[in-house]
Amino acid sequence: MSNIVERDSGVRQRPAEYVQNFEVLRSQCLKEKILFRDPEFDTYDLSVHYKNLRKNQLEWKRPNEISNNPKFFVEGVSRFDVRQGLLGDCWLLAAIANLTLNEKLFYQVVPNDQGFDNKYAGIFHFRFWQYGKWIDVVIDDRLPTYEGKLMFLQSAMKNEFWSALLEKAYAKIHGSYEALKGGFTMEAMGDFTGGVSEMYDLNDAKPNLFTIMLNSIQRQSLMCGSILNSKKLDLKEKGLCEGHAYSITKLTKFGIICLIRLRNPWGKYEWKGPWSDKSAEWLSVPHTKKESIGMVLDDDGEFWMSFDDFLKYFSLLEICNLAPDDLKREQNGTCSTWDLSVFEGEWVRGATAGGCDIFQESFSSNPQYNITLEDSDDSDNENMCTVIISLMKKYRQRHRNKGDLNSFSINIILFDLNKSNSVPKPLDMDFFNNNTALYKFHSLKYNPREISKRLKVPPDKYCIVPCTTNQNEQGEFLLRVYSEKKNNLEEFDNEVGMCPINDKFKKLALYTNKNEDSNEKLKKYFLKVAGSDKEVDWMELKDILDVAMKQEPGNIRFSNDVCRCLIAMMDWDRSGKLGFKEFQSLWLNIKHWKVVFKSYDIKNKGYIKGYHLRSALSSVGYSIKTRTINTMCHRYASRKGYIMFDDFIMCAIRLKTTIDIFKERDPGNKNVASFTLEEWVEKTFHS
């Protein structure tokens, strides 16, 4: 079953009124007797990306302008409906071909409630799994053509259009057709199923790999093989293509001979070696056996080859295991499914993008997740738990045209929490310096979107640290944990609220405030600026603070926004001004915050690193979660992840004011407060 404990990474959801609804839009078009034009993915000029294509040769046409009798499906669905065009998206086409082998999965992605019948309105929709959620993608049916023919994905049947429209919908979620040029089949297979993908480097293949593949096929997993950076000089002679992905559609064994069936997305150009369509090896195989495995002698792009030759010529195997509801296994005559927990998170430059464990200063700032496994597998005699941990980068293809912002590699590092006498929450630098990781997993040299690992571990408490290989590599991620028995996954983080102020910093702040001569001068200047009412507004406060901080290293100045917030923080009567007693209390806070800031700004650079923000705020009495640190650094940190003094003060003010407002409505300290909308708006603007 699914045990979803998902947390978003702070991205706001799109308002419901802006979400495209297929049924509503189709009904509107039918009522108005118009064909749908998608404003979110309008036609555009592809000629700049294809040097041999003149601008006037590209036309966007609807299926009824391409064929006299367009159909969504012609004689059902098959892998032969998928033929590659000019776009280098063989990785996607290999996944689509595999999708046709599973009817249930296929119609989950390609809804069978549309076509060119009496409800035709030029609008179609498809469903994709996107980082933990199934989304419905609406498109119009205008397709790019060249000399009257489809430029990209097309069916062997000239009047069949489901595959071309599916490719367009997939291009839409990635921003463009060009974003689909080059990729990993496991990414598309994951988007079609919501499953967990595994990648195997065939240059270092496991001895039991064929057995793993057989078991995967039996679980209806989707698979493909790719040839990348091959040094085999006879590839072309053997009918194989470098830099190309092939669908794996079947496996079988003849005695000790292991065979694998593959399909070229081009729909032609096949393997010419042993066990190819016309090779002599098939002469010894009975006709009934060939029929049972679906042996077809045709130039259709599909072929058989020995598993040994597959390992010899291919570089990469990608397997997509289906989602928990589909990963059903028979155990003692009963059917069971995987238990799934999901979390979304992000690495923020300077805050939580701490890099892998070689970066001792920042590694502990990475997001941390606690997983508790209480029960071993039913069929395990060694009292062990089966766990699959998956880490996925988000939006990799979408950023390709922006320089591939998510090209960094990712890691999963697992720690056993029961092997340490001290387990702080979250785990700190001392813990990691004194404890060795139980397991480490990282991206292969191909740097895929997702990495995953299947483990056998005893029931226990563990901490998962998802991280990037290097520091300050920013991006969002999806963490998934599958187990045969229930797992409890939660953020390994402290609670939001007040915490004890660090005594050392408190004493230093009080000591720096004991200079009576300086305090008397400050009071005189305050009264001079305040005037007859003996109160100051935010502009007068800025004048006083600038004078008070004039002697500080770095010539610190407070911004207008900080001064406004300082007034709001201490202005309990809501007059918009502060008296001297309120100013004295405020000045003590500022002194305290300045002492803490200086303790982390060791080299007097005028900033602290975002990695230290949590510790610094804890020193002034505020406990916050990782996600809040991310939000603060998004808003207040520089591009390098540095927090200037002015911005550190703003963080402290915001925290103090927000917590004070909440505590005012929570006298029983139950962490529950009640506000009307009017009160919340009023409180928010006051702060």
Side-chain angles (χ1 to χ4, degrees), residues 180-211:
L180 303 183
K181 188 176 180 180
F184 291 99
T185 300
M186 60 188 281
E187 296 182 11
M189 293 190 297
D191 292 340
F192 294 157
T193 66
V196 168
S197 297
E198 299 176 273
M199 181 179 283
Y200 294 89
D201 186 344
L202 298 180
N203 294 316
D204 186 26
K206 294 184 177 182
N208 65 335
L209 184 58
F210 191 76
T211 301

Side-chain angles (χ1 to χ4, degrees), residues 1-4 104-105 129 134 193-196 219 321-329 335-342 388 480-484 487:
M1 67 176 184
S2 297
N3 174 35
I4 307 296
K104 176 186 174 184
L105 292 176
W129 182 91
W134 283 95
T193 66
V196 168
R219 292 197 303 268
N321 299 301
L322 301 189
D325 290 341
D326 299 305
L327 285 172
K328 296 182 177 180
R329 293 158 286 113
C335 190
S336 62
T337 63
W338 295 94
D339 188 72
L340 168 65
S341 295
V342 181
I388 300 176
R480 291 182 285 172
V481 176
Y482 295 80
S483 59
E484 292 196 7
N487 69 73

Side-chain angles (χ1 to χ4, degrees), residues 364-477:
S364 62
S365 66
N366 282 299
Q368 301 175 19
Y369 299 89
N370 177 42
I371 177 172
T372 303
L373 301 168
E374 296 180 352
D375 301 313
S376 59
D377 300 344
D378 289 335
S379 59
D380 195 287
N381 297 324
E382 298 179 352
N383 193 35
M384 301 290 275
C385 306
T386 300
V387 179
I388 300 176
I389 303 175
S390 162
L391 179 65
M392 179 183 289
K393 292 183 284 189
K394 299 175 72 172
Y395 312 127
R396 187 172 188 267
Q397 290 292 128
R398 187 184 298 256
H399 288 146
R400 175 161 299 182
N401 292 340
K402 299 177 182 179
D404 202 6
L405 300 180
N406 283 33
S407 62
F408 54 79
S409 59
I410 53 178
N411 305 260
I412 302 171
I413 304 182
L414 185 69
F415 292 87
D416 188 339
L417 297 183
N418 281 3
K419 291 187 176 180
S420 176
N421 295 327
S422 175
V423 183
K425 191 177 182 181
L427 302 178
D428 57 18
M429 189 166 58
D430 288 339
F431 176 91
F432 293 120
N433 287 340
N434 293 297
N435 290 273
T436 303
L438 188 63
Y439 291 103
K440 296 182 183 181
F441 323 117
H442 57 85
S443 304
L444 294 173
K445 58 185 177 182
Y446 306 112
N447 189 23
R449 176 179 72 171
E450 177 184 16
I451 60 172
S452 62
K453 187 69 176 179
R454 186 187 298 257
L455 299 172
K456 285 265 191 178
V457 294
D460 209 338
K461 290 185 177 181
Y462 302 90
C463 183
I464 302 170
V465 182
C467 59
T468 59
T469 298
N470 297 308
Q471 285 179 314
N472 291 325
E473 292 180 314
Q474 186 162 294
E476 296 178 66
F477 64 83

